[in-house]
Amino acid sequence: MERTTLVLFFLAVCFMNVKGLLVNQSWAEELHEIKYNKTSENSVLQNHQCQECNCSLEIADCSARNIDSLPLDLPGNITMLNLSRNDIKNLTNFFIGRDYKDLQSLDITYNSPVLHLHENVFEGLDKLQKLYIGKFAIVHPLVFKPLKEIRIIEVKGDGSRLSIFSVARDAWLRALRGLQNSTIEKITYEHISSIPFILRKKHFKYFTNCQLKELYLPHNMISAIESGFLNYLPMLEILDLSRNMIATLIPVSVTFNMIQLFKMTHLRVLRLDDMNNRVVKDLNRPHIEKCVDTEWPLPMGLEELNFKWASFDDQPASFPCELKVQPENKLKVLNAAYTNAVIYFGGPLKGLVNLQHLIYNNNDCKIEPDFFTCASGYFESLQVLDLAYNKVLLTKSSLNFSLFENCSKLVHLDLSYNNLADIPSDMLKDASSIETVNLSGNKLVKFNLDLNAQISLELLNLSNNKLHGLIEAARNSIANSDERSNGSLTIDLNGNPLMCTCDAFPFINWIKDHMDVIFQGSDLECQYINGSQIKFTHLDVSHMKIACLKSAFIASGISVAFVLLIVGVVIYGYKRRYKIIYIALHLRAALRRNNLPGIDYDFDGFLSYSSLDKTWAINNIYGQLAGQYGYNICVDDRNFRPGTYLSDIIVESISKSNKIILVISQNFLRSGWCKFEMNLARGELATRGRDCLILILKEPKELLPQELITPTLRSLLDTRVYLVWSEEEDRKLLFWRKLQDALGEPRFKGEEDTPFLYQNNDGDEEMLQNLI
């Protein structure tokens, strides 16, 4: 519970750059703003008493005069004396107060590092209110005691080697003793130590009865704080502990330290930013806070809390629900950049009704859309919102609040580098007073934000996105916003892949017409139609239009030519389709030529035909295959010896042939022997288990009488690819290529001088005569 309380307290600080810090300006700034050389009718002329310094009115400027001691010849009525940037090694006791007792402001910064400040060095300076000194080696614990009217003391070191000695640091802390019961209101101790130390409460026990309002302790290597020191500073309004290395509070008790903090009813500003030894957080293991209906308190007077680059816990928090803070707080400024205090906001933050500046950038935090509301009871006073480098979500299926509802006071919005790919067009409809919108570094491919409600917009940063241009609605919206803001609008488009293509003339003309609105418009570039980068100011729109017309004409011509080419190829391909198929088959045969399996057949093929088609078959089929392509084809005239049993020799011929070629014609279908051979071939096809049958239609299938087509032939024609003879040259060429592809490469292994299969003279003469 204690841990959750601490997280919630510093959560209120998690969001905003500290603007308008409520502190008085230092004397160094005040003194250097004065023009010492100013002269007027009321000026006191420089006389012999002010020979080394510039004196004007009641001011003596002796800075950077290379003097080594206190000048004693200045006008005695001076109220401001600047002795900075000299080589003064010693200031004698009583001298300053004796000669310049009216001094109200004294600056002795940047002098010799061995300058001694003794107990009575400021004796007699009863009117001194502002004292600016450097961090010296030796200082007396009661050196400040004579200063009865002192209001401001600033001690600033220069980082010299003397700052590494704890004796010098402790001497300055002990010197606070001299301010007991004084009128001191502001103390600054900066760079008084270069080695870590613990800030103890004993250093501040002298301020119980003082009116100390501002305490600045930056750049001091403070490693821990004994938190009880706040008990001695009841009137403190500003506490600056920034740029130290605070890792813990002593005692390490959340409850005790929260009680101490809540006792500080006058505390307005607390700065704990830029710590040098931040706790490393495991962002993958957040502490998920429970959704409880509790309003967490804040110190009632606190107006500014700066937490940047600081952390006191190694585990970030995750708030999946609405987070509530007591609305009676006065917090106006929250800055928790680079803290990773919270890595998920699942709902809105309620109760910070006076919050004006909210900074929570660089925290890798996922923030849901419900967070962005200025409805009553939420961020209703918000003026500055900086959530850069997080994971902001702006789109959701359902919202309890509309985006930036009632945010009429919002002036500055920074959502840069949040990986936003899209933004709702009406996102800023209620943010009518907004002056700057930073959406740079996202992934926007289209900008459609409606700016018609904005009357004060001065800067729209769209740089480093993925914009190719601006759509018409965006261009009109920006132009209208510029008109309502009296021409004070600036838009940054740098770092986008802008395109100057032939369809981008409206965008190009808009850019050229609104160059005064574009940030660094003279250097803004886009990708030209030829692929090169070119500045908008160098674009010749008329020349570009001509180039686009040429490109369009060329592109159209190429398109038409391409279409015509395709049509021509299709027509040519259709006319020469047989030739193309022939070439494809030829290539396929060439590819598989080297993968022919070994076989034991004596013939490449057995040619079966009707005796009535013998002349045609021998001259056209056999002659081409045997004579032209080198196939060993088994035919009756060459391989059937008369006198044998025709049935036996047919069976033997088929069995010793690699392929069986059937020349189908009407004569074939009427021949009994041809039918016998076809049935044998069908059986061989089934027995071999591979493709061994080639069908050649001597005439088209449509011309074959249906009554002659047997079931066996019908089955073969329906299930197999067959070749059709044609007298056309292209189709004939394709026919031979297909036939070769079906036969494969010539592979006969027998002897050419033994053409006959049988040597006996027995035979069936009747069957032979019928066959012939």
Side-chain angles (χ1 to χ4, degrees):
M1 184 66 178
E2 292 180 351
R3 191 177 168 289
T4 302
T5 304
L6 180 61
V7 171
L8 290 170
F9 169 68
F10 286 117
L11 164 68
V13 197
C14 292
F15 303 96
M16 183 58 212
N17 253 339
V18 181
K19 289 189 177 180
L21 192 60
L22 303 176
V23 297
N24 294 330
Q25 292 186 347
S26 67
W27 157 242
E29 295 172 347
E30 173 188 334
L31 189 60
H32 291 299
E33 288 176 358
I34 297 176
K35 298 181 180 178
Y36 291 100
N37 293 323
K38 178 180 179 181
T39 58
S40 65
E41 294 180 358
N42 297 324
S43 298
V44 178
L45 297 177
Q46 184 175 348
N47 54 40
H48 68 281
Q49 289 184 308
C50 194
Q51 296 179 357
E52 293 182 320
C53 307
N54 287 337
C55 298
S56 177
L57 298 176
E58 296 177 352
I59 300 172
D61 179 12
C62 302
S63 61
R65 303 292 172 175
N66 200 29
I67 58 179
D68 57 6
S69 61
L70 175 68
L72 301 178
D73 58 349
L74 305 176
N77 65 338
I78 59 174
T79 59
M80 298 180 66
L81 175 59
N82 186 355
L83 296 174
S84 65
R85 302 184 185 280
N86 284 295
D87 194 30
I88 300 175
K89 298 180 178 62
N90 186 39
L91 289 174
T92 307
N93 286 339
F94 305 103
F95 274 38
I96 304 178
R98 182 195 65 183
D99 294 338
Y100 311 114
K101 60 183 178 180
D102 292 330
L103 278 183
Q104 298 178 20
S105 177
L106 175 62
D107 186 349
I108 52 175
T109 57
Y110 300 106
N111 274 281
S112 172
V114 296
L115 174 62
H116 289 198
L117 294 180
H118 302 289
E119 179 179 0
N120 297 312
V121 69
F122 298 129
E123 190 68 42
L125 295 177
D126 296 341
K127 299 180 181 180
L128 192 68
Q129 298 180 12
K130 300 176 182 179
L131 177 60
Y132 307 95
I133 55 183
K135 184 185 70 60
F136 306 110
I138 300 176
V139 61
H140 194 277
L142 298 178
V143 68
F144 297 138
K145 186 175 181 179
L147 305 177
K148 298 179 181 179
E149 298 293 329
I150 193 67
R151 298 286 190 273
I152 299 175
I153 293 178
E154 287 191 4
V155 179
K156 293 186 178 182
D158 56 2
S160 65
R161 60 184 179 84
L162 294 175
S163 63
I164 67 173
F165 296 108
S166 60
V167 175
R169 177 198 66 218
D170 293 342
W172 282 106
L173 291 174
R174 286 195 300 270
L176 296 175
R177 173 185 175 186
L179 296 173
Q180 187 173 9
N181 299 320
S182 69
T183 58
I184 190 69
E185 295 179 356
K186 174 184 175 182
I187 296 177
T188 299
Y189 271 15
E190 184 174 356
H191 278 305
I192 68 168
S193 178
S194 294
I195 54 177
F197 74 101
I198 299 175
L199 189 66
R200 300 289 183 181
K201 61 183 180 181
K202 66 179 181 180
H203 300 139
F204 302 95
K205 64 182 180 180
Y206 309 106
F207 294 102
T208 304
N209 298 320
C210 294
Q211 300 295 314
L212 185 64
K213 297 179 181 179
E214 302 178 31
L215 178 60
Y216 300 90
L217 299 173
H219 286 297
N220 287 310
M221 298 292 286
I222 301 173
S223 60
I225 299 176
E226 193 173 12
S227 58
F229 83 96
L230 292 175
N231 290 332
Y232 301 111
L233 305 171
M235 305 304 293
L236 194 64
E237 296 179 4
I238 300 176
L239 176 59
D240 185 353
L241 295 170
S242 61
R243 297 176 178 85
N244 284 289
M245 48 188 303
I246 301 172
T248 186
L249 303 175
I250 302 174
V252 185
S253 170
V254 175
T255 302
F256 176 82
N257 291 307
M258 291 295 290
I259 292 175
Q260 294 293 316
L261 197 58
F262 276 93
K263 286 183 178 180
M264 304 296 294
T265 57
H266 296 279
L267 187 64
R268 296 185 295 106
V269 178
L270 177 59
R271 299 194 63 188
L272 297 168
D273 52 304
D274 296 315
M275 295 299 173
N276 292 328
N277 60 337
R278 301 172 66 233
V279 176
V280 178
K281 295 178 182 286
D282 185 358
L283 302 183
N284 296 319
R285 301 179 60 187
H287 176 73
I288 302 176
E289 302 294 340
K290 296 181 179 179
C291 298
V292 293
D293 191 17
T294 303
E295 291 184 347
W296 301 96
L298 286 175
M300 298 304 298
L302 193 64
E303 296 180 6
E304 177 186 323
L305 183 56
N306 194 333
F307 214 57
K308 178 183 178 182
W309 278 109
S311 61
F312 300 99
D313 195 352
D314 60 355
Q315 191 174 12
S318 174
F319 291 94
C321 306
E322 181 179 75
L323 179 62
K324 299 179 180 179
V325 180
Q326 287 184 353
E328 291 79 13
N329 66 84
K330 297 180 180 179
L331 196 63
K332 295 180 179 179
V333 176
L334 276 173
N335 186 351
Y338 296 94
T339 61
N340 298 121
V342 180
I343 63 169
Y344 179 64
F345 283 105
L349 183 57
K350 185 176 183 180
L352 299 177
V353 295
N354 296 303
L355 191 66
Q356 298 176 3
H357 295 220
L358 182 60
I359 298 180
Y360 197 63
N361 58 56
N362 290 274
N363 281 293
D364 198 31
C365 180
K366 183 179 180 181
I367 305 176
E368 297 286 352
D370 278 346
F371 182 85
F372 301 96
T373 178
C374 300
S376 179
Y378 295 87
F379 297 137
E380 55 190 69
S381 301
L382 192 63
Q383 297 177 12
V384 177
L385 178 59
D386 184 353
L387 297 177
Y389 291 93
N390 282 291
K391 297 175 181 177
V392 168
L393 302 177
L394 295 178
T395 56
K396 194 177 180 181
S397 57
S398 63
L399 292 171
N400 296 322
F401 303 96
S402 60
L403 284 171
F404 297 98
E405 178 181 344
N406 197 41
C407 290
S408 60
K409 298 179 181 179
L410 187 63
V411 175
H412 173 81
L413 175 63
D414 190 344
L415 296 177
S416 59
Y417 295 92
N418 271 276
N419 289 322
L420 293 171
D422 189 20
I423 53 175
S425 60
D426 61 346
M427 181 177 72
L428 299 179
K429 64 179 182 180
D430 287 347
S432 58
S433 300
I434 201 162
E435 296 179 2
T436 62
V437 177
N438 189 352
L439 295 171
S440 64
N442 285 294
K443 297 179 179 179
L444 299 177
V445 296
K446 181 177 69 173
F447 178 73
N448 61 342
L449 185 61
D450 186 356
L451 301 174
N452 289 314
Q454 278 58 57
I455 60 175
S456 305
L457 188 61
E458 296 180 357
L459 175 62
L460 175 60
N461 191 346
L462 298 175
S463 62
N464 299 305
N465 277 281
K466 298 183 180 298
L467 299 173
H468 289 172
L470 294 176
I471 61 176
E472 182 179 4
R475 299 195 299 268
N476 294 336
S477 179
I478 293 171
N480 293 338
S481 181
D482 180 48
E483 183 178 350
R484 286 190 297 273
S485 62
N486 296 321
S488 61
L489 176 62
T490 299
I491 177 173
D492 190 349
L493 291 171
N494 289 286
N496 282 287
L498 302 176
M499 304 295 290
C500 290
T501 55
C502 294
D503 57 351
F505 282 109
F507 172 64
I508 296 171
N509 291 328
W510 185 88
I511 289 288
K512 295 177 79 68
D513 292 341
H514 294 81
M515 194 60 69
D516 57 328
V517 177
I518 309 299
F519 176 70
Q520 295 180 344
S522 59
D523 296 325
L524 188 64
E525 294 184 341
C526 63
Q527 183 174 324
Y528 195 51
I529 53 179
N530 60 4
S532 63
Q533 291 294 119
I534 186 172
K535 295 182 179 180
F536 278 92
T537 52
H538 295 169
L539 275 176
D540 187 339
V541 177
S542 59
H543 181 271
M544 183 179 174
K545 288 182 178 180
I546 295 174
C548 287
L549 289 174
K550 290 182 178 179
S551 299
F553 178 77
I554 294 173
S556 300
I558 292 175
S559 299
V560 172
F562 181 74
V563 171
L564 293 176
L565 177 62
I566 295 298
V567 172
V569 169
V570 170
I571 294 174
Y572 178 81
Y574 179 77
K575 290 183 177 180
R576 306 291 291 177
R577 59 188 182 279
Y578 303 113
K579 180 70 173 180
I580 295 172
I581 298 174
Y582 166 79
I583 295 174
L585 292 172
H586 186 75
L587 292 175
R588 187 174 72 175
L591 291 174
R592 65 187 187 185
R593 185 171 297 154
N594 296 327
N595 299 317
L596 295 174
I599 57 173
D600 296 327
Y601 299 108
D602 291 335
F603 301 97
D604 291 307
F606 171 78
L607 185 59
S608 174
Y609 51 85
S610 169
S611 60
L612 299 178
D613 298 325
K614 180 176 182 179
T615 302
W616 180 89
I618 295 298
N619 293 337
N620 289 285
I621 305 302
Y622 176 79
Q624 186 75 4
L625 292 177
Q628 183 68 24
Y629 301 128
Y631 288 100
N632 187 20
I633 303 299
C634 179
V635 293
D636 53 1
D637 278 358
R638 184 173 185 274
N639 302 104
F640 289 9
R641 180 180 294 278
T644 60
Y645 288 105
L646 187 57
S647 59
D648 292 339
I649 197 171
I650 290 175
V651 172
E652 182 70 13
S653 299
I654 288 176
S655 65
K656 289 187 175 293
S657 297
N658 182 38
K659 298 286 184 176
I660 305 163
I661 306 171
L662 303 181
V663 180
I664 308 298
S665 66
Q666 296 186 38
N667 297 325
F668 182 93
L669 298 178
R670 291 188 175 93
S671 170
W673 283 113
C674 288
K675 292 179 181 179
F676 173 71
E677 291 172 355
M678 182 172 61
N679 290 328
L680 288 177
R682 175 68 179 273
E684 195 71 18
L685 180 65
T687 303
R688 297 187 188 182
R690 65 179 181 85
D691 189 7
C692 62
L693 183 60
I694 300 174
L695 300 178
I696 297 177
L697 299 186
K698 181 176 177 293
E699 50 205 47
K701 178 181 177 182
E702 295 78 12
L703 299 180
L704 297 177
Q706 293 298 314
E707 65 274 8
L708 296 179
I709 299 178
T710 64
T712 299
L713 177 60
R714 188 179 301 279
S715 174
L716 292 175
L717 291 176
D718 290 342
T719 58
R720 306 188 57 74
V721 177
Y722 51 83
L723 303 179
V724 181
W725 175 261
S726 175
E727 295 296 338
E728 296 179 15
E729 289 300 323
D730 284 349
R731 298 185 66 178
K732 186 183 293 186
L733 186 64
L734 177 61
F735 172 87
W736 290 117
R737 183 64 263 176
K738 286 184 175 181
L739 185 55
Q740 284 181 270
D741 186 65
L743 286 170
E745 291 298 316
R747 58 186 79 190
F748 173 64
K749 297 182 179 181
E751 298 181 3
E752 295 183 359
D753 56 351
T754 58
F756 296 110
L757 293 173
Y758 290 95
Q759 301 299 322
N760 61 316
N761 293 321
D762 297 331
D764 187 348
E765 295 296 334
E766 182 181 356
M767 293 180 63
L768 184 59
Q769 290 296 325
N770 292 334
L771 180 60
I772 296 173

